[in-house]
Amino acid sequence: MEKNKMIRIKDIAKLSGVSVGTVDRVIHKRGKVSEAARQKVEKVLKEIDYTPNLLAKTLGSSKVYKIALLVPNPKQDPYWNLSLQGLEASKVEWRPYHMVLEPHFFELHDFGSFKSASKKLMDSKPDAVLSAPIFLNEALEFFKELDELNIPYVHFNTMIPDVSPLAFIGQDLYQSGRLGASLINLGTDCNNNTVSILHVSESIQFSVHFKEKERGFRDYFSSLNNGIVTVSSVIIEGDDMKSFESKLIEAIKKDKIKGLFIPTSSGAKLTAEILRKNKLSDMCIVGYDLLEENVELLKSGDINFLINQNPNRQVFRGIHHLANLLLFNKQAPEKELFPLEVITRENVDSYIKSTIH
Amino acid sequence: MEKNKMIRIKDIAKLSGVSVGTVDRVIHKRGKVSEAARQKVEKVLKEIDYTPNLLAKTLGSSKVYKIALLVPNPKQDPYWNLSLQGLEASKVEWRPYHMVLEPHFFELHDFGSFKSASKKLMDSKPDAVLSAPIFLNEALEFFKELDELNIPYVHFNTMIPDVSPLAFIGQDLYQSGRLGASLINLGTDCNNNTVSILHVSESIQFSVHFKEKERGFRDYFSSLNNGIVTVSSVIIEGDDMKSFESKLIEAIKKDKIKGLFIPTSSGAKLTAEILRKNKLSDMCIVGYDLLEENVELLKSGDINFLINQNPNRQVFRGIHHLANLLLFNKQAPEKELFPLEVITRENVDSYIKSTIH
DNA sequence: TTGAAAGCGCTAACAG
DNA sequence: CTGTTAGCGCTTTCAA
């Protein structure tokens, strides 16, 4: 079944008639090898299937790898706080392999703080970077810089154009929108309804993210042929929060809205409070992510579904790929798409209890 | 932040005034240590926080651990085939740590084959066992034997009484039944319906499993106060397959069944085929697990929901716990409950694509 | 440009 | 009973 013995550098050395030192130099391209020796070794390497022993490798080496994280300040937004939990899990996972993980935070609505955070990050000379690509265009120069210095980086949460990270970790946002639509379709009893997508104080920087979800949402309903469902959209801008309530209520009354799709994780709570206050309880609401407040709302029946983006695991996997690259030189898949998890009142506890996930 | 240096056996030796050999003997309780030396070392151990370096440990040791798996023959049932995929993932995960994983199969309906498989398993002298506890009572003596030999074992899939494995990995089956009920409740348009749980050729051995699901299913509907839903149950026994069709159709007609809950992963296909043949399309069906056939049915709209039990990951986690025990002496949690994953036509692809999960 | 050799932290065999 | 020592496979000097 299994190969009898693992092949060691020593074996390769013997086979190619050189010393272990030379083999090591060839494998790691550390130069200082004659053309003749290099060819002999590479010939052998081609013929056999050598996998270095990770244990011996990190035990024998003093090199410490540093992976830097660049994310919005978790104190500002519970969503990013969730993602940070993945960092802690990663720390214990990789500590044995000399991997140091350092988060760098910036303020969501302050480009200046992004500038300075990314500067500090670069100063720390990381071997790799995991980043949530906020401030899209403005941050392009940051990714350029990483490219130039040959520092590998992985993106998560939102896929952005014109950048080619080593990998992207996240969900299919279009499909996420479709799923949200299908859940609302399930939850609203009859046809002949209006449903609406509610954009509540979304950062402009994320427009791609929410546009994709909206596209999926609308496509789902327009491809539905059994009933007439109208899709509208309500937009609540950044400092519009005072008029949020009146605007929302007005739209609901005018369009007879029966279903609300809220693509921001923190929008559900604001909305549910308004609906409750105005005694509008026959509404089907789909929100995002297992924030504590959202879990409450699900249990109390104020909202009907959540779609879980699993930000903590996104970070965990992002670091996994980076570590694998640094340690084994193993290429990550270009895209790792996460499952679109449907959370209801009846399965939410099972998600919260499952520690790992 | 981090401790400056990791503490090594060498340090402990110096602190307690003995040699590394003695420290090693104390730590591993290999005897051959004088009371005086033991006390000195243990005093130091108590004061500092020593964590052995796993890399050095497995590198320096020739010990190979063997974990045996005892599961139904995957060729007989696609469900168990899924679970076996977790084995392959575990193999690559743990190979670097000298962990050998060996499956042992038995036939689902043949107690004799269970006997001989478990016998062979014991003969292979495993260091730990992961098992799906089929043949409940009949297998008790097997677990007794493991207890006596002090071989740790973990159960997955179904929790059984009167046995205390190191850990149980699986789902809350009662809640799973409730979830199934809630999905059917969503999927059937109006109230005043009959819904039914369909027991199709379930192994008697699993009765606990299905009883729990049924209990949750019934409880959900009886706690519902907004509509009158009647719950019936249709039982198709092992060799009753010829009369399956007539029996099912008869029940549907008689009770005006609008929703079917099918707690076996392989039951959905049989049922869906019959319904399609008899042109009964306005039925809400909830089945289990991402068998290829079930995925097809979900996509074609013949069934409405699947609840994913994630058997492959159950195996993966079970082995994870066992390996952690053998390697680090790290205790596993008594129960690891998995999230109850809701699969619909709109998110099924996202689950299939996500390799890891 | 090369080979030899000294670690990395732990285990296990071997003399005392 | 106890200390010493030779590996485990790889990295990283250091001479040659």
Side-chain angles (χ1 to χ4, degrees), chain A residues 70-296:
Chain A
L70 186 58
V71 285
N73 192 332
K75 284 185 185 147
Q76 273 183 39
D77 186 336
Y79 177 77
W80 297 107
N81 195 27
L82 274 187
S83 85
L84 260 279
Q85 292 174 11
L87 218 211
E88 295 313 308
S90 301
K91 275 185 185 167
V92 319
E93 171 96 356
W94 291 105
R95 175 155 43 211
Y97 302 104
H98 300 181
M99 196 71 55
V100 168
L101 309 178
E102 272 185 1
H104 293 258
F105 302 128
F106 61 90
E107 310 305 313
L108 252 181
H109 302 288
D110 174 4
F111 180 54
S113 83
F114 176 82
K115 264 298 217 203
S116 65
S118 61
K119 173 96 174 44
K120 243 185 221 145
L121 183 152
M122 292 306 293
D123 290 346
S124 77
K125 301 216 176 308
D127 299 284
V129 174
L130 176 62
S131 146
I134 322 281
F135 296 111
L136 325 161
N137 301 309
E138 298 89 335
L140 282 182
E141 62 179 289
F142 171 55
F143 300 124
K144 284 261 160 60
E145 201 178 343
L146 291 173
D147 277 333
E148 275 159 21
L149 291 171
N150 252 311
I151 298 175
Y153 56 96
V154 165
H155 284 170
F156 73 100
N157 195 67
T158 305
M159 197 165 13
I160 61 172
D162 302 324
V163 184
S164 312
L166 179 71
F168 164 71
I169 318 282
Q171 290 180 320
D172 180 333
L173 299 171
Y174 172 80
Q175 193 58 38
S176 183
R178 289 190 64 99
L179 176 62
S182 74
L183 294 174
I184 282 186
N185 195 42
L186 266 174
T188 51
D189 278 356
C190 312
N191 296 318
N192 226 321
N193 281 322
T194 297
V195 297
S196 184
I197 177 165
L198 185 55
H199 296 285
V200 27
S201 64
E202 296 163 355
S203 315
I204 291 165
Q205 300 88 347
F206 277 128
S207 49
V208 203
H209 190 109
F210 299 115
K211 286 241 175 67
E212 275 301 279
K213 284 181 178 172
E214 174 155 4
R215 197 167 63 85
F217 186 76
R218 289 181 176 276
D219 273 14
Y220 178 86
F221 282 111
S222 59
S223 71
L224 222 59
N225 49 8
N226 60 341
I228 302 123
V229 177
T230 315
V231 178
S232 69
S233 99
V234 179
I235 298 173
I236 314 293
E237 307 253 359
D239 47 356
D240 211 7
M241 292 304 295
K242 282 153 284 177
S243 61
F244 180 17
E245 178 162 352
S246 53
K247 207 161 169 181
L248 177 60
I249 297 299
E250 187 194 354
I252 290 176
K253 298 247 161 96
K254 198 186 85 199
D255 294 337
K256 300 214 176 61
I257 294 173
K258 287 294 175 197
L260 277 175
F261 178 55
I262 307 170
T264 38
S265 55
S266 52
K269 190 186 180 191
L270 299 169
T271 310
E273 275 167 0
I274 292 174
L275 294 184
R276 171 182 288 203
K277 199 171 138 198
N278 288 268
K279 306 220 160 63
L280 292 162
S281 61
D282 59 336
M283 184 84 63
C284 178
I285 301 185
V286 174
Y288 273 86
D289 298 315
L290 295 173
L291 310 186
E292 273 181 49
E293 54 204 54
N294 287 354
V295 170
E296 293 276 315

Side-chain angles (χ1 to χ4, degrees), chain B residues 151-346:
Chain B
I151 298 175
Y153 56 97
V154 164
H155 284 171
F156 73 99
N157 195 65
T158 305
M159 195 164 16
I160 61 172
D162 302 323
V163 183
S164 312
L166 179 71
F168 163 72
I169 318 282
Q171 290 181 320
D172 181 332
L173 298 171
Y174 171 81
Q175 195 58 40
S176 182
R178 288 190 64 99
L179 177 61
S182 73
L183 294 174
I184 283 187
N185 195 43
L186 267 175
T188 52
D189 277 357
C190 311
N191 296 319
N192 227 322
N193 281 324
T194 298
V195 297
S196 184
I197 176 165
L198 186 55
H199 297 285
V200 25
S201 64
E202 296 162 356
S203 315
I204 291 167
Q205 300 89 344
F206 278 126
S207 50
V208 204
H209 190 109
F210 299 115
K211 286 241 174 67
E212 275 302 278
K213 284 181 177 171
E214 174 155 5
R215 197 167 64 83
F217 186 76
R218 289 181 175 273
D219 272 15
Y220 177 86
F221 282 112
S222 59
S223 71
L224 222 59
N225 49 9
N226 60 342
I228 302 123
V229 178
T230 316
V231 178
S232 70
S233 98
V234 180
I235 298 174
I236 314 293
E237 307 255 358
D239 46 357
D240 211 7
M241 292 306 293
K242 282 152 283 174
S243 60
F244 182 14
E245 178 161 352
S246 53
K247 208 163 170 180
L248 177 60
I249 297 299
E250 185 192 358
I252 290 176
K253 298 247 160 98
K254 199 187 84 196
D255 294 337
K256 301 213 176 62
I257 295 173
K258 287 294 174 196
L260 276 177
F261 178 55
I262 306 170
T264 38
S265 55
S266 51
K269 190 186 179 192
L270 299 170
T271 310
E273 276 168 359
I274 291 174
L275 294 185
R276 169 181 290 203
K277 197 169 137 201
N278 288 267
K279 307 220 160 66
L280 292 163
S281 61
D282 61 337
M283 182 85 63
C284 177
I285 300 185
V286 174
Y288 273 86
D289 298 316
L290 295 174
L291 311 186
E292 274 181 47
E293 55 204 52
N294 288 353
V295 170
E296 294 275 316
L297 291 168
L298 201 59
K299 288 189 178 173
S300 65
D302 287 311
I303 64 180
N304 305 65
F305 298 98
L306 289 172
I307 296 174
N308 187 21
Q309 308 191 90
N310 222 333
N312 52 344
R313 193 167 168 86
Q314 287 192 24
V315 167
F316 187 83
R317 293 294 297 175
I319 288 177
H320 173 95
H321 291 311
L322 257 6
N324 266 79
L325 181 79
L326 296 176
L327 253 31
F328 301 96
N329 201 28
K330 215 186 266 174
Q331 278 295 323
E334 211 175 296
K335 266 195 217 176
E336 177 164 303
L337 293 180
F338 271 35
L340 296 159
E341 299 176 324
V342 174
I343 317 290
T344 73
R345 194 219 289 247
E346 292 296 334

